[in-house]
Amino acid sequence: MHRFLLAVLRRDLTLAARRRGDWLIAQFFFVMVASLFPLGVGPEPEMLARIGPGVLWVAATLASLLSLTRLFADDHHDGSLEHMVLSPEPTVLLVLGKSIAHWLIYGVPLLLIAPVLGIQFHLSWEAIMVLELSLLLGTPILSLLGSVGAALTLGLRGGGVLLTLLILPLYIPALIFGAGAVDGVMAGTGAEAHLSLLGAFMVLSLMIAPWIAAAALRVSLE
Amino acid sequence: MHRFLLAVLRRDLTLAARRRGDWLIAQFFFVMVASLFPLGVGPEPEMLARIGPGVLWVAATLASLLSLTRLFADDHHDGSLEHMVLSPEPTVLLVLGKSIAHWLIYGVPLLLIAPVLGIQFHLSWEAIMVLELSLLLGTPILSLLGSVGAALTLGLRGGGVLLTLLILPLYIPALIFGAGAVDGVMAGTGAEAHLSLLGAFMVLSLMIAPWIAAAALRVSLE
Amino acid sequence: MNLYTYASPANFYVLAGKLIPWFSWGAGLLAVWGLYISFFLAPTDFQQSEAYRIIFIHVPAAWMSMFIYLVMAFWGAIGLAFNTRLSFMMARALAPTGALFTFIALWTGALWGKPMWGAWWVWDARLTSELILLFLYVGIIALWAAIDDVRRGDRAGSLLTLIGAINVPIIYFSVKWWNTLHQGSSINLMKAPSMAAIMLQGMLVMAIAAWFYTIAVALVRVRRIILERERQTDWAKAILENE
Amino acid sequence: MEWASWSDFWHMAGYGLYVWGSFGVTAAGVLIEVILLKRAGADTRRRLKRMQQWATSLEGEGQ
Amino acid sequence: MPDALLSVHDLACARGERLLFKGMNFGLGKGELLLVQGGNGQGKTSLLRLLTGLARPEEGEVRWRGESIRRVGEAYHGEMCYLGHANGVKDDLNPVENLRFADGMHGRAFDQTRAVATLERLGLSRCLDLPCRVLSFGQRRRVALAALLLAGATLWILDEPLTGLDVHAVVLMEGLIRNHLTAGGMVVATTHQALNLDGVAVQRLLVGNVAIPALM
Amino acid sequence: MPDALLSVHDLACARGERLLFKGMNFGLGKGELLLVQGGNGQGKTSLLRLLTGLARPEEGEVRWRGESIRRVGEAYHGEMCYLGHANGVKDDLNPVENLRFADGMHGRAFDQTRAVATLERLGLSRCLDLPCRVLSFGQRRRVALAALLLAGATLWILDEPLTGLDVHAVVLMEGLIRNHLTAGGMVVATTHQALNLDGVAVQRLLVGNVAIPALM
Ligand code: HEM
Ligand SMILES: Nc1ncnc2c1ncn2[C@@H]1O[C@H](COP(=O)(O)OP(=O)(O)OP(=O)(O)O)[C@@H](O)[C@H]1O
Ligand SMILES: Nc1ncnc2c1ncn2[C@@H]1O[C@H](COP(=O)(O)OP(=O)(O)OP(=O)(O)O)[C@@H](O)[C@H]1O
Ligand SMILES: [Mg+2]
Ligand SMILES: [Mg+2]
């Protein structure tokens, strides 16, 4: 069971490494969206600092959301998803492994880039630290909830946008708490309350999402 | 030739009508992204009015960008793109027809929704009118440039994000002029200059993009 | 005759047919009564003047939007657990009406907010979570529309309904958990009602009318769904020929 | 009775737009739902009948 | 090859670093069938894509009525119809609509009764109003064949037209090819299955170095 | 069916509004081959997906060693291997890597020399380090067959395993099936092509109402 989880992880990481393009591009998308806003909104520093946390959170959400479409789609398309579901291990583990791999591939790099973009928005160091912490707690939620959405919309044409529609509403609380934490630290009201809500949300999705996604996957393959 | 263009248009519109889901969902995505920002950024009205035009432009860009991925991909996948390219009419017309259809399906509805979202961002009526005008000029640019990107990235895995990466830099001028026009009218400096630049950009892309896209399409099919 | 016989679509079709007129007429009469209270019995509010009359639509609609969602989640869970076809059909029959009430709650709230708070829309917790509810409804309906295979659609939609159900308590308690612009709960089983008895009565009558309406509409819809799915069976063929 | 006249009633102390906007859209929403429901019901039944006729005409034909 | 409409001159094809074939020459006239044979991965599909003009040859050229297909381009496309490993059938449309748009794309007027007749002839009478998405593998292939029949092209280029077809459909297809050839059409086809085409002028072309026993 | 490992009881399958078959019963024991036959769109693929447990039957059930496959679930999957219309081959990996991950998914240790030997036996020695994306249609199918061979499952469920294979590969495949059966394995397969399987116990199952002439 342990071995199976590792095999899934290793497989997805290898595939991502083989297609380094995909992987890099999601990070570029993050940088790009975060940089478009100063263009659309104008360059005043204090305004940028105000909207910075929100924009970075939204950009991170969109960047890793877009890659979610392909969480199961590629494997479904070439038939290997059926093979994996028909393997002698429980489907929950498969889903969990794929969610973790998704987070490692698309979530973690965002954490590394975010501070740089934070500087661009004139955020203070303290705000950047909290931003990091909130993204650390928030991005796994997206990968986990996303696995549910990806499983539900598997094989549907236009599944990508449908996925977004299904997942974003569920994800909005994370977005609010995450950006709220950074705002809180900037306004001096503290970030603990927001961060602990975010943490609770993460644990909750870790415990529920894989099961629902596994059920959804079996339904979608029928 | 005329007949062919109409046939392409009619075909794509029928397909869109058959999959009303896809079509609606892109519009919802627009609403959703535009609504995420106030959540991330906080609810103060004068701040929202400041960032409103920028956010709406970026949201419209993202919404119609996402649908661009499938401009040729579906037809490529089931083999019908090859059939259309092998038809006795020039490929430029095919590309032009598909760009126009894309604009009708994904661009025009954005124009209808944008005013409602503008109210949500506390924009004035005048600003909303200019926003509309700028989107009217700007969204076709996206469909046209997008056809080049979609043709270039056809069949590449992760083409969606690559497409974004290729198209966004080209599209940034439109974004700046468009959001700038609305900002101008709100700041009282007028919008004409921005709007006429936007118009010129549109005419330019109408004249160049289909040719490049047709060439790119042939290369991608090889 | 026991309840179980009605779990079969054939019997339920007939039963629903009998119930629909009762609920429709009930809804109509209750709505007339409720509107009479709303406009002619309830007095002018000393703070909000006449604008408060929106409450007679807003609150029942907001309640319905949440209740219907919970009922859908309930039917979905039953269907997933026991594989009963009828419960999935019920869930499907309820969704559009739920979305309609959510939309009405948002719309009337916005129309109320403009005179009271000076803004059509603010991003406070309750308003946001109600908007999310609308998105959830639309998402579920869109998912159903996107999946052609009914069995797959039933299950996929129910799974989505289930995880979305977390949102309902958030909407309800948002005014308590967060300090918001929106009014707190005034109906509390423990406390005496903090509003005039006649207003409360009007809201309740309108809420019951909304319930009756929902049931009537859902039954009509579920009958159509049953007929469509059971068209291969003899009883459905017989009904089609006679109707 | 609260209202001095009908015009008072429609005026709603200056809040007519909001109050009638709320009740009006609700009524319209309900009306549209009922109409759509009627139409969908009729459509489905017509379609099912047609399909049934095809089925009987195809019977025994095999493929 | 005096009256060859389609001719190939010193054609070479490379994929990646591998040269699949070179110095290939042949001509095909009216009423002739070219059966391209060879083991898996020997370059049959690659050759067919060169013939359609979708891919560019490494060397040499393909000519239609004596002119390079690069030059005549769209005129050639008006007389040629290609069916590849993918079907070119839209999943969201039903078979009849698929045929309608195929006609539209080629600038032909659509004749509904003829389209329905063709589909019925191919055994799809029960699927006329189902979206192609739900059809079986073989049924979708049949829809693609119906489009081929309606195209009325002179030259058919068929890549494994028989994959997924059942025995009856294979027999039907053999009949259709025979009729097309007798009516002066031309066919280039690959297949790994036995084809029964008595009384037809068949040229065989072996691509690659894997010997293939004669199947027919 | 006394010693049937795989058995099917009153199975019914519906797709959309259409009932494809109902009241199907059969049992399959060690060393037996079940050849599922039927015209296009009669429900062969649908039946195979029911047997794997990917789809749910409308009525009836599939049993493995006397227990419903819904209940035994993963234990059944350990003894069964499915090959559908799609290959389950990752385009970005080369054939050897594909086999490595197929083994990983099934919790088996990977034996590189054995994997290479199997690929070579299937005629892929020139493609070992090419990404599967560039392989031909038939070559990709062969990679999928290699994974099947390495899985070491008792029950093979094969949906048209011969599509796209050339003549030599078809002969090879026949040999492999024969060996598997002699070693006590079981095979459920569909195909529209002729199979030469002398000396093997073949059950035939006709799905749907289109008669199929015996091909072998
Ligand atoms: C778009 C904006 C609004 C939304 C989405 C919304 C949503 C809701 C919801 C979901 C409820 C029912 C929850 C419960 O029973 O506790 C509710 C109740 C209520 N709303 Fe709103 N509302 C909005 C705007 C307003 C405005 C502007 C006012 C008045 C100034 C208002 C006044 C009330 C009142 C008085 C209740 C009843 C509370 C009770 O008695 O329980 N709402 N609203
Ligand atoms: N980039 C590459 N590098 C090396 N070899 C390549 C590359 N791309 C393709 N090939 C080889 O070119 C050949 C392509 O053959 P093609 O698809 O034309 O075969 P085919 O004759 O149609 O086979 P099949 O009967 O299996 O359909 C394959 O052998 C493949 O391995
Ligand atoms: N939603 C639906 N409505 C009506 N019929 C459907 C629906 N979905 C599938 N079908 C029918 O069910 C059948 C599915 O057959 P299946 O794919 O199992 O065929 P098959 O025997 O494998 O055929 P092939 O030999 O072509 O692969 C097809 O005839 C298809 O038309
Ligand atoms: Mg080939
Ligand atoms: Mg099949």
Side-chain angles (χ1 to χ4, degrees), chain E residues 15-16 18 40-46 192, chain F residues 134 136-139:
Chain E
R15 295 289 301 272
R18 218 176 125 189
N40 288 137
Q42 298 296 316
K44 300 181 296 301
T45 299
S46 308
H192 294 301
Chain F
V134 304
S136 82
F137 195 79
Q139 288 172 331

Side-chain angles (χ1 to χ4, degrees), chain C residues 202-220:
Chain C
M203 265 164 50
L204 287 179
V205 172
M206 289 296 277
I208 300 173
W211 260 120
F212 273 51
Y213 169 77
T214 306
I215 295 174
V217 171
L219 287 180
V220 173

Side-chain angles (χ1 to χ4, degrees), chain C:
Chain C
M1 151 168 318
N2 59 21
L3 266 183
Y4 196 72
T5 38
Y6 285 116
S8 102
N11 295 333
F12 189 78
Y13 185 89
V14 179
L15 176 69
K18 286 188 202 135
L19 291 178
I20 287 168
W22 293 97
F23 281 105
S24 321
W25 283 108
L29 294 176
L30 283 164
V32 170
W33 183 22
L35 287 173
Y36 182 72
I37 297 178
S38 321
F39 286 112
F40 299 104
L41 296 185
T44 305
D45 190 82
F46 72 97
Q47 267 184 336
Q48 304 197 1
S49 174
E50 309 296 352
Y52 90 93
R53 292 187 196 277
I54 294 176
I55 204 174
F56 296 111
I57 287 290
H58 175 72
V59 174
W63 283 342
M64 291 309 294
S65 67
M66 296 184 292
F67 274 132
I68 293 179
Y69 194 92
L70 288 181
V71 175
M72 265 172 66
F74 167 78
W75 284 125
I78 298 278
L80 286 174
F82 303 108
N83 204 8
T84 41
R85 286 172 298 164
L86 194 54
S87 25
F88 288 126
M89 301 186 208
M90 292 297 269
R92 281 203 196 220
L94 282 166
T97 310
L100 175 68
F101 277 119
T102 314
F103 172 75
I104 292 176
L106 285 166
W107 178 266
T108 54
L111 281 178
W112 200 356
K114 185 67 183 168
M116 290 305 118
W117 307 333
W120 299 104
W121 184 257
V122 292
W123 291 98
D124 95 334
R126 164 158 290 176
L127 273 57
T128 307
S129 47
E130 183 78 6
L131 184 65
I132 293 177
L133 187 67
L134 180 65
F135 287 156
L136 279 174
Y137 273 119
V138 172
I140 292 164
I141 293 173
L143 186 64
W144 276 329
I147 302 179
D148 306 289
D149 183 31
V150 279
R151 285 198 306 173
R152 176 181 166 189
D154 282 345
R155 290 168 178 278
S158 299
L159 285 169
L160 183 63
T161 320
L162 279 185
I163 35 172
I166 304 172
N167 192 38
V168 172
I170 294 181
I171 301 178
Y172 191 77
F173 294 112
S174 54
V175 279
K176 219 184 262 169
W177 293 345
W178 290 279
N179 185 11
T180 65
L181 205 50
H182 193 281
Q183 212 136 341
S185 206
S186 46
I187 311 261
N188 196 316
L189 295 181
M190 301 300 149
K191 276 194 328 212
S194 62
M195 60 168 79
I198 187 73
M199 275 169 59
L200 183 60
Q201 193 192 343
M203 265 164 50
L204 287 179
V205 172
M206 289 296 277
I208 300 173
W211 260 120
F212 273 51
Y213 169 77
T214 306
I215 295 174
V217 171
L219 287 180
V220 173
R221 209 174 271 129
V222 89
R223 265 165 62 98
R224 193 185 79 224
I225 297 174
I226 291 177
L227 206 56
E228 188 151 6
R229 296 202 187 170
E230 304 279 305
R231 80 186 87 173
Q232 307 286 2
T233 59
D234 293 333
W235 70 267
K237 284 181 186 159
I239 281 176
L240 268 179
E241 252 154 45
N242 299 334
E243 243 177 33

Side-chain angles (χ1 to χ4, degrees), chain B residues 10-31:
Chain B
R10 194 170 149 200
R11 169 177 184 280
D12 277 24
L13 294 179
T14 311
L15 284 170
R18 201 51 56 87
R19 278 277 173 172
R20 233 162 299 147
D22 279 19
W23 173 84
L24 263 177
I25 282 160
Q27 323 309 326
F28 257 99
F29 185 81
F30 180 45
V31 175

